[in-house]
């Protein structure tokens, strides 16, 4: 099979990991569900109770979202001036709200109708569309930035998602992605017990090399790639400890998730 992440045909046998649910691509070291699903699984956040639970989690991660937003702003080299942000998978809209407060015009795609409604009520100026990014193929290339945190691993066709992100962004626009990391210390030490190996939700799990290939085969050049660890919910002294641990792990690209900032080529 052609790897959904690096697009290479396997030249060596794929390695079964995790009770036969995942195969490891010998070319990039990413993991993909085997057998590969015909449809995307999105049941997890459906219903009011799941939406409320997700909202509480996102509120606790507000500062974490803000740090991602500020990372984008720093690379745009100017103060925010009517910039346009598209968030893919906005959940209850906590990041949208933070962006709007900082002067962005922000829109979003969200799969869950319940979460999209919460996001709309919290952000009346945002255009929140209930849609899968894979179906959103008619972008007008008028966004300055696109963010997708913890989305890529759920998507059936990562290359199509990248193409659709290209069609949303202005030339030179920035894409920020975060997704689990198969080069992480956790996967290296826990193997099949790594909690990101979740066949009900995660279809593709990327290595740094697989993510780099996916982006470069699309319209992007990588600006920065680093790894993150921790929950993003730490505060006070725990936040300092988490930051130190993250810095140490990132020196070997060993953090639990990859965070990449990429620029659409002109
Ligand atoms: Zn691969």
């Amino acid at each position: 099979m052609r790897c959904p992440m690096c697009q290479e045909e396997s030249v060596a046998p794929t390695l079964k990991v995790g009770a036969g649910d995942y195969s490891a691509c010998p070319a990039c070291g990413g993991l993909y569900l085997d057998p590969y699903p015909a449809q995307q699984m999105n049941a997890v956040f459906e219903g009011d109770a799941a939406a409320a639970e997700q909202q509480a989690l996102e509120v606790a991660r507000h500062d974490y979202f803000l740090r991602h937003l500020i990372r984008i702003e720093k690379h745009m080299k100017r103060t925010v001036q009517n910039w346009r942000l598209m968030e893919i998978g906005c959940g209850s809209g906590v990041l949208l709200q933070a962006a709007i407060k900082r002067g962005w015009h922000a829109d979003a795609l969200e799969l869950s109708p319940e979460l999209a409604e919460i996001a709309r009520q919290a952000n009346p100026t945002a255009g929140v569309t209930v849609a899968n990014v894979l179906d959103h193929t008619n972008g007008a290339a008028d966004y300055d930035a696109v963010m997708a945190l913890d989305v890529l691993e759920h998507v059936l066709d990562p290359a199509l998602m990248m193409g659709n992100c290209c069609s949303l962004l202005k030339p030179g626009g920035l894409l920020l992605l975060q997704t689990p990391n198969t080069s992480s210390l956790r996967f290296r030490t826990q193997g099949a017990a790594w909690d990101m190996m979740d066949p009900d939700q995660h279809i593709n799990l990327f290595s740094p090399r697989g993510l780099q290939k996916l982006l470069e085969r699309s319209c992007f050049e990588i600006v920065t790639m680093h790894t993150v660890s921790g929950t993003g919910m730490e505060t006070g002294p725990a936040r300092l400890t988490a930051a130190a641990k993250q810095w140490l792990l990132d020196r070997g690209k060993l953090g639990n998730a990859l965070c990449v900032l990429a620029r659409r080529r002109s």
Side-chain angles (χ1 to χ4, degrees):
M1 158 168 179
R2 184 180 291 274
C3 171
M5 295 165 277
C6 71
Q7 309 284 311
E8 299 283 341
E9 286 284 354
S10 297
V11 290
T14 53
L15 173 69
K16 287 282 189 180
V17 191
D21 285 321
Y22 287 90
S23 282
C25 169
C28 72
L31 305 173
Y32 54 85
L33 275 184
D34 183 8
Y36 203 77
Q39 288 190 332
Q40 209 163 296
M41 309 81 86
N42 304 313
V44 169
F45 301 127
E46 282 175 9
D48 289 334
E53 199 178 315
Q54 181 66 12
Q55 184 181 17
L57 196 66
E58 287 168 16
V59 168
R61 297 181 89 191
H62 170 274
D63 291 357
Y64 178 76
F65 292 147
L66 195 59
R67 287 196 291 276
H68 279 312
L69 194 63
I70 290 171
R71 179 169 296 121
I72 291 178
E73 291 173 6
K74 278 182 179 163
H75 282 273
M76 295 183 73
K77 298 191 181 97
R78 288 173 290 134
T79 51
V80 179
Q81 293 168 351
N82 299 317
W83 291 343
R84 290 168 54 80
L85 172 73
M86 171 63 87
E87 187 184 10
I88 298 169
C90 71
S92 64
V94 172
L95 191 150
L96 280 185
Q97 200 163 16
I100 290 165
K101 265 192 195 162
R102 293 176 71 81
W104 289 79
H105 173 86
D107 296 323
L109 305 180
E110 171 53 48
L111 279 172
S112 156
E114 290 88 353
L115 285 170
E117 189 50 38
I118 296 170
R120 277 190 203 110
Q121 284 178 13
N123 303 286
T125 62
V128 180
T129 307
V130 177
N132 184 329
V133 61
L134 299 186
D135 301 325
H136 197 79
T137 53
N138 57 346
D142 58 357
Y143 286 93
D144 298 280
V146 170
M147 283 179 88
L149 302 179
D150 309 319
V151 172
L152 185 58
E153 62 274 22
H154 298 266
V155 165
L156 199 61
D157 187 341
L160 178 58
M161 175 174 165
M162 289 306 103
N164 290 350
C165 288
C166 293
S167 76
L168 287 165
L169 280 168
K170 295 175 183 172
L174 291 170
L175 171 69
L176 191 144
L177 292 174
Q178 183 174 300
T179 193
N181 174 22
T182 62
S183 293
S184 61
L185 187 63
R186 285 228 206 135
F187 176 56
R188 288 170 194 232
T189 54
Q190 298 174 352
W194 185 37
D195 59 1
M196 292 297 107
M197 295 177 74
D198 177 354
D200 291 333
Q201 292 193 63
H202 294 167
I203 301 174
N204 292 292
L205 296 165
F206 284 78
S207 66
R209 181 175 162 79
L211 186 54
Q212 180 186 350
K213 283 222 165 189
L214 178 78
L215 288 161
E216 290 177 354
R217 278 177 189 268
S218 185
C219 69
F220 293 102
E221 58 190 14
I222 291 175
V223 179
T224 61
M225 185 187 287
H226 70 284
T227 65
V228 294
S229 49
T231 62
M233 293 185 275
E234 301 88 356
T235 54
R239 165 80 196 120
L240 287 177
T241 310
K245 188 178 156 199
Q246 174 165 309
W247 181 82
L248 275 173
L249 285 172
D250 184 45
R251 292 175 69 83
K253 292 281 181 284
L254 294 171
N256 207 40
L258 292 164
C259 182
V260 66
L261 187 69
R263 192 181 297 280
R264 186 189 150 180
R265 292 188 290 263
S266 300

